[in-house]
Amino acid sequence: MEKIQESSVFMENKNLIDLEVLSTEQIDKIIRKAKKIMQKPSEYRHSCDGKILATLFYEPSTRTQMSFQTAMLKLGGRTIGFDNPMNSSVSKGENLKDTITIIGGYADIIAIRHPAEGTAMASSLYAGVPVINCGDGGHLHPTQTLTDIVTLSCEKGRLDNLKIGICGDLLNGRTVHSLIKTLAKYDNNSFVLISTKELSVPLYIIDILEKNGCKYELSNSLAESVKDLDVLYMTRIQRERFASEEEYETQKNVFVLDKEKLSKAKDDMIILHPLPRVNEITVDIDDDPRALYFKQAQYGMYGRMALILLLLQDEEFFIKSKKTEVCEHKCKNPNCITANEPYLPHLCYEKKGMTMCDFCDKRIY
Ligand code: CP
């Protein structure tokens, strides 16, 4: 294995690929900044004058794309980008490296969503400007987690000592994985993981909970588990990640939060959802004071404003990367970006004696 050069673009840029590499101090710094912006937004309206954000969305989005665009506009900057790669030269076969290299020459910061795991990380190798991961397949969605923790901090007043129920598609829900990884770093959080057996959290997430000494339980009953939660985080079943429609049909509508189940919850429990909602929360709950999912999306915009400012302007806000090396073996995960972009270097890191792909975090050998 040879070391990646210290001087590579990858090492020098500040990117947000995975919240896991941030310390709790860095996370708290983003939250503090978001709260300051919320209190006096007018003070920040020229903070990014002359700066350009590129939003490259290879997958559909409402909230993440538009909240990033709004965030940059509110900071005085401008935006470019696409929300359908088929309207760009991707439709002519342009590879990721070329697209990102070109856009890195136009924009000051890039926000990217892509169906392949590890795409934001791959983009960071070529962009020359900070890259923000807006969702890479079923892997991670760190700015949704930022949205969630800004909401928790504002609405519960803390990120520790919480009993958090997470319900729905815990296998494919990238927001779930990012949220658990982040909240596991804070003291005395416990988790109730509510799902069918088929859609339970991946083992690597259980490993993280155990490594951090977090209490957790697996449940298949929302009605039973809702009673003593501080936070209920509902998620939709990720239809687009299923191999067949038949498989999806067996999983949809298994867990639905309705008025009857909510009547068993604590008065100060809050309901979050990354959205979009499909059927998993009935619409008649929207007016319940505990239903905070629409407010949550607004908090997300302030979190993204804070993140853009810290990545572009705060020299001390250095987001470190993992210790990466070049490996002779290729990642075997068919959903990894390396499966479709063969020129990418085989980057890996060591974890508990195993060699992990640096793009998708799956085991290589
Ligand atoms: N929560 C979320 O990522 O929403 P969008 O898919 O609409 O961006």
Side-chain angles (χ1 to χ4, degrees):
M1 288 188 186
E2 71 190 73
K3 290 267 177 214
I4 293 289
Q5 292 301 308
E6 286 280 310
S7 60
S8 76
V9 169
F10 175 51
M11 296 301 283
E12 285 180 354
N13 267 317
K14 293 186 285 184
N15 307 297
L16 184 68
I17 309 300
D18 182 354
L19 271 191
E20 196 183 16
V21 298
L22 266 63
S23 63
T24 51
E25 288 75 25
Q26 284 172 308
I27 291 173
D28 294 342
K29 187 169 183 174
I30 307 177
I31 295 171
R32 277 200 308 278
K33 188 83 167 174
K35 287 180 177 173
K36 273 189 179 175
I37 299 170
M38 267 179 242
Q39 278 156 9
K40 288 207 170 135
S42 61
E43 286 189 1
Y44 295 86
R45 69 176 169 228
H46 295 296
S47 299
C48 284
D49 279 357
K51 297 289 181 195
I52 293 177
L53 164 76
T55 52
L56 309 183
F57 277 64
Y58 291 73
E59 271 195 334
S61 166
T62 298
R63 279 147 292 275
T64 313
Q65 185 189 28
M66 290 195 217
S67 66
F68 261 116
Q69 291 170 341
T70 311
M72 192 48 144
L73 294 172
K74 280 180 176 276
L75 292 169
R78 284 171 291 168
T79 67
I80 58 171
F82 55 73
D83 55 16
N84 179 354
M86 288 303 112
N87 293 334
S88 78
S89 287
V90 173
S91 65
K92 302 171 203 162
E94 185 164 69
N95 69 19
L96 182 80
K97 176 178 189 280
D98 293 0
T99 302
I100 296 297
T101 304
I102 295 300
I103 293 168
Y106 300 156
D108 299 285
I109 185 163
I110 294 174
I112 184 167
R113 171 174 288 186
H114 195 284
E117 299 176 16
T119 302
M121 151 65 187
S123 303
S124 74
L125 300 178
Y126 307 110
V129 296
V131 172
I132 300 171
N133 185 1
C134 293
D136 57 338
H139 185 215
L140 298 167
H141 191 351
T143 68
Q144 179 59 49
T145 303
L146 191 54
T147 297
D148 302 338
I149 58 179
V150 170
T151 307
L152 286 175
S153 178
C154 291
E155 295 291 335
K156 296 301 281 182
R158 63 187 194 277
L159 295 178
D160 54 14
N161 292 292
L162 291 168
K163 184 162 186 175
I164 306 133
I166 307 184
C167 178
D169 188 345
L170 310 192
L171 176 66
N172 300 302
R174 56 196 174 193
T175 64
V176 169
H177 306 162
S178 289
L179 182 63
I180 294 174
K181 284 162 82 172
T182 301
L183 288 178
K185 291 181 182 178
Y186 289 84
D187 288 342
N188 203 30
N189 284 329
S190 61
F191 298 85
V192 184
L193 304 171
I194 309 156
S195 73
T196 61
K197 199 154 49 71
E198 292 80 7
L199 297 183
S200 56
V201 282
L203 280 179
Y204 87 96
I205 293 290
I206 298 287
D207 281 349
I208 288 169
L209 289 172
E210 290 183 351
K211 190 178 125 204
N212 285 280
C214 297
K215 283 192 201 146
Y216 69 92
E217 56 189 273
L218 307 182
S219 162
N220 58 14
S221 170
L222 176 57
E224 278 301 308
S225 298
V226 77
K227 290 172 194 155
D228 55 351
L229 299 176
D230 299 309
V231 181
L232 173 60
Y233 193 89
M234 294 296 295
T235 63
R236 91 187 151 91
I237 306 301
Q238 306 251 316
R239 184 182 205 149
E240 66 276 25
R241 315 262 177 239
F242 281 78
S244 70
E245 189 63 17
E246 292 71 39
E247 259 181 72
Y248 169 70
E249 288 292 323
T250 65
Q251 297 293 328
K252 75 170 194 192
N253 300 338
V254 174
F255 299 105
V256 177
L257 180 67
D258 54 20
K259 278 200 162 177
E260 194 194 332
K261 292 188 194 91
L262 188 57
S263 69
K264 298 178 177 138
K266 294 199 294 192
D267 289 344
D268 65 348
M269 184 192 82
I270 63 170
I271 309 162
L272 303 184
H273 191 310
L275 304 178
R277 156 176 62 183
V278 184
N279 289 320
E280 54 283 344
I281 301 177
T282 56
V283 173
D284 57 3
I285 282 177
D286 293 353
D287 295 327
D288 189 292
R290 292 168 286 187
L292 294 186
Y293 27 91
F294 297 128
K295 202 170 176 189
Q296 180 186 357
Q298 276 185 308
Y299 282 127
M301 184 190 67
Y302 291 107
R304 289 175 174 119
M305 287 171 84
L307 179 66
I308 291 171
L309 282 179
L310 290 168
L311 287 175
L312 286 180
Q313 295 180 357
D314 189 329
E315 288 306 318
E316 288 168 18
F317 191 73
F318 178 67
I319 298 184
K320 67 179 189 300
S321 59
K322 290 174 230 139
K323 257 192 167 171
T324 299
E325 297 175 332
V326 176
C327 159
E328 55 193 288
H329 299 282
K330 193 174 181 302
C331 179
K332 295 183 284 290
N333 173 11
N335 300 320
C336 180
I337 186 67
T338 53
N340 291 326
E341 307 277 342
Y343 53 84
L344 286 169
H346 301 166
L347 299 181
C348 63
Y349 62 95
E350 295 296 319
K351 187 176 156 189
K352 289 190 195 164
M354 296 183 290
T355 300
M356 315 295 288
C357 174
D358 205 19
F359 296 97
C360 68
D361 293 308
K362 301 287 183 306
R363 186 179 178 181
I364 299 178
Y365 62 90

